[in-house]
Amino acid sequence: INAEYMGGQIVRHLALVMQEFTQSGGVRPFGVSLLVGGSDATGPHLFQVDPSGSYWAWKASAIGKNMVNAKTFLEKRYTADIELEDSIHTALLTLKEGFDGKMSSDNIELALVGEDCKFKVLQPSEVKDYLDEVL
C-alpha cells in the first residue's frame, strides 16, 4: 500500500471496518486475517489485521497453515539489518516450510515494496531464479 501515512492509519481504518462488520447483525463478518505491507516516509511497515478488528505491527510474520512453525523460523532468520536478497530467500524458505507440493513460479508470487514506496510484483522468470537459488 502506498500512502503518505501508512504507519497505521490505513490499517486502523481497515480494522475498524472489519470490527464493525463483525458486530453488525445480519452482515457477514470478515473471516480471514490479513497481512498488510507497505512503505511510507518513515520506512517499511507490516501489519496483521484480524476479523475482530485487532491489529499488530510486525517486522516479519506469517499467517495461515503452519504459522507457528513459520514464525519460529522467521524469529531465527530475521535480523533488523537483513539485506533484500537475504529477505527474499528467507521468505521463500519460510513459505516452503508449510507448502504442499512443489514450489514453482507457476504457483507462487513475490512482490517487493521499495524504499521509493513502489509496489512491484516480480515476473515469473525472476521468481524462478530466486527459487533456483534456495531450493
Side-chain angles (χ1 to χ4, degrees), residues 90-133:
T90 298
L92 288 172
L93 291 170
T94 304
L95 186 59
K96 182 180 175 225
E97 290 292 311
F99 202 85
D100 289 332
K102 183 178 184 324
M103 288 174 46
S104 73
S105 58
D106 294 325
N107 57 16
I108 66 166
E109 288 184 318
L110 293 174
L112 307 173
V113 179
E115 291 179 4
D116 60 357
C117 299
K118 299 289 184 189
F119 180 82
K120 177 187 177 199
V121 177
L122 299 183
Q123 296 297 316
S125 61
E126 295 172 294
V127 174
K128 183 183 181 315
D129 291 341
Y130 282 116
L131 287 170
D132 290 344
E133 292 174 13

Coordinates of all heavy atoms in Angstrom, one line a residue, residues 90-133:
T90 N 14.8 -15.8 2.7 CA 14.1 -16.2 4.0 C 12.6 -16.3 3.8 O 12.0 -17.3 4.3 CB 14.4 -15.1 5.1 OG1 15.8 -15.1 5.3 CG2 13.7 -15.4 6.3
A91 N 12.0 -15.4 3.0 CA 10.6 -15.5 2.7 C 10.3 -16.9 2.0 O 9.3 -17.6 2.3 CB 10.1 -14.4 1.9
L92 N 11.1 -17.2 1.0 CA 10.8 -18.4 0.3 C 11.0 -19.7 1.1 O 10.3 -20.6 1.1 CB 11.8 -18.5 -1.0 CG 11.4 -17.5 -2.1 CD1 12.5 -17.5 -3.2 CD2 10.0 -17.9 -2.7
L93 N 12.1 -19.7 1.9 CA 12.3 -20.8 2.8 C 11.2 -20.9 3.9 O 10.8 -22.0 4.2 CB 13.7 -20.7 3.5 CG 14.9 -20.8 2.6 CD1 16.2 -20.4 3.3 CD2 15.0 -22.3 2.0
T94 N 10.7 -19.8 4.3 CA 9.6 -19.8 5.3 C 8.3 -20.4 4.6 O 7.6 -21.2 5.2 CB 9.3 -18.4 5.8 OG1 10.5 -17.9 6.4 CG2 8.2 -18.4 6.8
L95 N 8.0 -19.9 3.4 CA 6.9 -20.4 2.7 C 7.0 -21.9 2.4 O 6.1 -22.7 2.5 CB 6.8 -19.7 1.4 CG 5.6 -20.0 0.5 CD1 4.3 -19.7 1.2 CD2 5.6 -19.1 -0.8
K96 N 8.2 -22.4 2.1 CA 8.5 -23.8 1.8 C 8.1 -24.7 3.0 O 7.7 -25.8 2.9 CB 10.0 -24.0 1.5 CG 10.3 -25.4 1.1 CD 11.8 -25.5 0.8 CE 12.2 -26.9 0.5 NZ 13.4 -27.3 1.2
E97 N 8.3 -24.2 4.3 CA 8.0 -24.9 5.5 C 6.6 -25.5 5.5 O 6.3 -26.5 6.0 CB 8.3 -24.1 6.7 CG 9.7 -23.8 7.0 CD 10.5 -25.0 7.4 OE1 10.1 -25.7 8.3 OE2 11.6 -25.2 6.8
G98 N 5.7 -24.7 5.0 CA 4.2 -25.1 5.1 C 3.6 -25.4 3.7 O 2.4 -25.5 3.6
F99 N 4.4 -25.4 2.7 CA 3.9 -25.6 1.3 C 3.6 -27.0 1.0 O 4.4 -27.9 1.2 CB 4.9 -25.0 0.3 CG 4.3 -24.6 -1.0 CD1 3.7 -23.3 -1.1 CD2 4.3 -25.4 -2.0 CE1 3.2 -22.9 -2.3 CE2 3.7 -25.1 -3.3 CZ 3.2 -23.8 -3.4
D100 N 2.4 -27.3 0.5 CA 2.0 -28.6 0.0 C 2.4 -28.7 -1.5 O 2.0 -27.9 -2.3 CB 0.5 -28.9 0.1 CG 0.1 -29.1 1.6 OD1 1.0 -29.5 2.4 OD2 -1.0 -28.7 1.9
G101 N 3.2 -29.7 -1.9 CA 3.6 -29.8 -3.3 C 4.9 -29.1 -3.5 O 5.6 -28.7 -2.6
K102 N 5.2 -29.0 -4.8 CA 6.4 -28.4 -5.3 C 6.2 -26.9 -5.5 O 5.3 -26.5 -6.2 CB 6.9 -29.1 -6.5 CG 8.3 -28.6 -7.0 CD 8.6 -29.4 -8.3 CE 10.0 -29.1 -8.8 NZ 10.5 -27.8 -8.8
M103 N 7.1 -26.1 -5.0 CA 7.0 -24.6 -5.2 C 7.6 -24.3 -6.6 O 8.7 -24.8 -6.9 CB 7.8 -23.8 -4.1 CG 7.1 -23.8 -2.8 SD 8.1 -23.0 -1.5 CE 8.7 -21.6 -2.2
S104 N 6.9 -23.5 -7.4 CA 7.4 -23.1 -8.7 C 6.9 -21.7 -9.0 O 6.0 -21.2 -8.3 CB 6.9 -24.1 -9.8 OG 5.6 -23.9 -10.0
S105 N 7.4 -21.1 -10.0 CA 7.0 -19.8 -10.4 C 5.5 -19.8 -10.9 O 5.0 -18.7 -11.1 CB 7.9 -19.2 -11.5 OG 8.0 -20.0 -12.6
D106 N 5.0 -21.0 -11.1 CA 3.6 -21.1 -11.5 C 2.6 -21.1 -10.4 O 1.4 -20.8 -10.6 CB 3.4 -22.4 -12.3 CG 4.1 -22.5 -13.6 OD1 4.3 -21.5 -14.2 OD2 4.6 -23.6 -13.9
N107 N 3.1 -21.4 -9.1 CA 2.1 -21.4 -8.0 C 2.5 -20.5 -6.9 O 1.8 -20.6 -5.8 CB 1.9 -22.8 -7.6 CG 3.2 -23.5 -7.1 OD1 4.2 -22.9 -6.9 ND2 3.2 -24.8 -7.0
I108 N 3.5 -19.6 -7.0 CA 3.7 -18.6 -6.0 C 4.0 -17.3 -6.7 O 4.4 -17.3 -7.9 CB 4.8 -18.9 -5.0 CG1 6.2 -19.0 -5.7 CG2 4.6 -20.2 -4.3 CD1 7.4 -19.0 -4.8
E109 N 3.8 -16.2 -6.0 CA 4.2 -14.9 -6.5 C 5.0 -14.2 -5.4 O 4.8 -14.4 -4.2 CB 3.0 -14.0 -6.7 CG 2.2 -14.4 -8.0 CD 1.0 -13.4 -8.2 OE1 0.3 -13.0 -7.3 OE2 0.8 -13.1 -9.4
L110 N 5.9 -13.3 -5.8 CA 6.7 -12.5 -4.9 C 6.5 -11.0 -5.3 O 6.4 -10.7 -6.5 CB 8.2 -12.8 -5.1 CG 8.7 -14.2 -4.6 CD1 10.2 -14.3 -4.9 CD2 8.4 -14.3 -3.1
A111 N 6.4 -10.2 -4.3 CA 6.3 -8.8 -4.6 C 7.2 -8.0 -3.6 O 7.4 -8.5 -2.5 CB 4.8 -8.3 -4.4
L112 N 7.6 -6.9 -4.0 CA 8.5 -6.0 -3.2 C 7.9 -4.7 -3.0 O 7.3 -4.2 -3.9 CB 9.9 -5.9 -3.8 CG 10.6 -7.2 -4.2 CD1 11.9 -6.9 -5.0 CD2 10.9 -8.0 -3.0
V113 N 8.1 -4.1 -1.9 CA 7.8 -2.7 -1.7 C 9.1 -2.0 -1.4 O 9.8 -2.2 -0.4 CB 6.8 -2.4 -0.5 CG1 6.5 -1.0 -0.3 CG2 5.6 -3.2 -0.7
G114 N 9.6 -1.1 -2.3 CA 10.9 -0.5 -2.2 C 10.9 0.8 -1.4 O 9.8 1.2 -0.9
E115 N 12.1 1.3 -1.1 CA 12.2 2.5 -0.3 C 11.5 3.7 -1.0 O 11.2 4.6 -0.4 CB 13.7 2.8 -0.1 CG 14.4 1.8 0.8 CD 15.8 2.1 1.0 OE1 16.3 3.1 0.4 OE2 16.5 1.3 1.7
D116 N 11.3 3.6 -2.3 CA 10.6 4.6 -3.1 C 9.1 4.5 -3.0 O 8.3 5.2 -3.6 CB 11.0 4.6 -4.5 CG 10.7 3.3 -5.2 OD1 10.3 2.3 -4.6 OD2 11.0 3.2 -6.4
C117 N 8.6 3.5 -2.1 CA 7.2 3.2 -1.9 C 6.5 2.6 -3.1 O 5.3 2.6 -3.1 CB 6.5 4.5 -1.4 SG 7.1 5.1 0.1
K118 N 7.3 2.1 -4.0 CA 6.7 1.5 -5.2 C 6.5 0.0 -4.9 O 7.4 -0.7 -4.4 CB 7.6 1.7 -6.4 CG 7.8 3.1 -6.8 CD 6.6 3.7 -7.4 CE 6.9 5.1 -7.9 NZ 5.7 5.9 -8.3
F119 N 5.3 -0.5 -5.3 CA 5.0 -1.9 -5.2 C 5.3 -2.6 -6.5 O 4.9 -2.1 -7.6 CB 3.5 -2.0 -4.9 CG 3.0 -3.5 -4.7 CD1 3.2 -4.1 -3.5 CD2 2.4 -4.1 -5.8 CE1 2.7 -5.4 -3.4 CE2 1.9 -5.4 -5.6 CZ 2.1 -6.1 -4.4
K120 N 6.1 -3.7 -6.5 CA 6.5 -4.4 -7.7 C 6.3 -5.9 -7.5 O 6.8 -6.5 -6.6 CB 8.0 -4.1 -8.0 CG 8.5 -4.8 -9.2 CD 9.9 -4.7 -9.4 CE 10.4 -5.5 -10.6 NZ 11.8 -5.8 -10.6
V121 N 5.5 -6.4 -8.4 CA 5.3 -7.9 -8.5 C 6.4 -8.4 -9.4 O 6.5 -8.0 -10.5 CB 3.9 -8.3 -9.0 CG1 3.8 -9.8 -9.1 CG2 2.8 -7.7 -8.1
L122 N 7.2 -9.4 -8.9 CA 8.2 -9.9 -9.7 C 7.7 -10.8 -10.8 O 6.6 -11.5 -10.7 CB 9.2 -10.8 -8.8 CG 9.9 -10.0 -7.7 CD1 10.8 -10.9 -7.0 CD2 10.6 -8.8 -8.3
Q123 N 8.3 -10.8 -12.0 CA 8.0 -11.6 -13.1 C 8.2 -13.1 -12.8 O 9.1 -13.4 -12.0 CB 8.8 -11.3 -14.3 CG 8.5 -9.9 -14.8 CD 7.1 -9.7 -15.3 OE1 6.5 -10.5 -16.0 NE2 6.5 -8.6 -14.9
P124 N 7.5 -14.0 -13.4 CA 7.7 -15.5 -13.1 C 9.2 -15.9 -13.3 O 9.7 -16.7 -12.6 CB 6.8 -16.2 -14.1 CG 5.7 -15.2 -14.3 CD 6.3 -13.8 -14.2
S125 N 9.8 -15.3 -14.3 CA 11.2 -15.7 -14.5 C 12.1 -15.2 -13.4 O 13.1 -15.9 -13.0 CB 11.7 -15.0 -15.8 OG 11.6 -13.6 -15.8
E126 N 11.8 -14.1 -12.7 CA 12.6 -13.6 -11.6 C 12.3 -14.5 -10.4 O 13.2 -14.9 -9.6 CB 12.2 -12.2 -11.2 CG 12.6 -11.2 -12.3 CD 12.0 -9.8 -12.0 OE1 10.8 -9.6 -12.0 OE2 12.8 -8.9 -11.7
V127 N 11.0 -14.9 -10.2 CA 10.7 -15.9 -9.1 C 11.4 -17.2 -9.3 O 12.0 -17.7 -8.4 CB 9.2 -16.1 -9.1 CG1 8.8 -17.2 -8.0 CG2 8.4 -14.8 -8.8
K128 N 11.5 -17.7 -10.5 CA 12.2 -18.9 -10.8 C 13.6 -18.8 -10.5 O 14.2 -19.8 -9.9 CB 12.0 -19.3 -12.3 CG 12.7 -20.7 -12.6 CD 12.5 -21.0 -14.1 CE 13.1 -22.3 -14.5 NZ 14.4 -22.6 -13.9
D129 N 14.3 -17.7 -10.8 CA 15.7 -17.5 -10.4 C 15.9 -17.6 -8.9 O 16.8 -18.2 -8.4 CB 16.2 -16.2 -11.0 CG 16.3 -16.2 -12.5 OD1 16.3 -17.2 -13.1 OD2 16.3 -15.0 -13.0
Y130 N 15.0 -16.9 -8.1 CA 15.1 -17.0 -6.7 C 14.9 -18.4 -6.2 O 15.6 -18.9 -5.3 CB 14.2 -16.0 -6.0 CG 14.7 -14.6 -6.1 CD1 14.0 -13.6 -6.8 CD2 15.8 -14.2 -5.4 CE1 14.4 -12.3 -6.8 CE2 16.3 -12.9 -5.4 CZ 15.6 -12.0 -6.1 OH 16.0 -10.7 -6.2
L131 N 13.9 -19.1 -6.7 CA 13.6 -20.5 -6.3 C 14.8 -21.4 -6.6 O 15.2 -22.2 -5.8 CB 12.4 -21.0 -7.0 CG 11.1 -20.5 -6.5 CD1 9.9 -20.9 -7.4 CD2 10.8 -20.9 -5.1
D132 N 15.5 -21.2 -7.7 CA 16.6 -22.0 -8.1 C 17.8 -21.8 -7.1 O 18.6 -22.7 -6.8 CB 17.1 -21.7 -9.5 CG 16.2 -22.2 -10.6 OD1 15.3 -23.0 -10.3 OD2 16.3 -21.7 -11.7
E133 N 17.9 -20.6 -6.5 CA 18.9 -20.2 -5.6 C 18.7 -20.9 -4.2 O 19.7 -21.3 -3.6 CB 19.0 -18.7 -5.4 CG 19.5 -18.0 -6.6 CD 19.5 -16.5 -6.4 OE1 19.3 -16.0 -5.2 OE2 19.6 -15.7 -7.4

